[in-house]
Amino acid sequence: AVYDHDRDAEGDYIVMEYVAGGTLRQHLKERGGRLPVPEALALVRGIAQGLVCAHRRNLVHRDIKPGNILLCREGEETVPKIVDFGLARVGSDS
């Protein structure tokens, strides 16, 4: 979740929720670069749903990679959260 946004002397910034889990990159590294098919499918499905949500708001991430996906435990489920919108484009603007 994004809680706030503003601009300071260094530029624009956003204030986001804290996600305790690590990145998908770290998760893959811990598992030798491979995930069981059901886990991989669930993560890809969640990432795709996040991108659909962003695209409906005319926001293009432009830097999707395992290091920009945080993993959050919600009960028994691992939920991917897309982060680092620093290269994102809104509409035709960068």
Side-chain angles (χ1 to χ4, degrees), residues 18-91:
Y18 173 74
V19 179
T23 66
L24 177 55
R25 182 175 189 262
Q26 293 165 328
H27 187 66
L28 286 166
K29 188 175 181 180
E30 291 167 359
R31 284 157 183 74
R34 298 181 63 94
L35 298 177
V37 171
E39 181 182 4
L41 289 173
L43 290 173
V44 168
R45 184 178 301 115
I47 294 164
Q49 289 170 339
L51 291 172
V52 165
C53 183
H55 291 175
R56 285 185 179 148
R57 289 165 177 77
N58 207 23
L59 180 64
V60 180
H61 188 280
R62 301 196 312 179
D63 194 23
I64 292 295
K65 60 187 177 187
N68 286 340
I69 307 295
L70 296 181
L71 302 178
C72 174
R73 294 291 299 171
E74 291 182 5
E76 296 295 315
E77 188 177 359
T78 300
V79 177
K81 305 237 180 184
I82 302 169
V83 298
D84 193 357
F85 284 78
L87 297 177
R89 178 179 54 89
V90 177

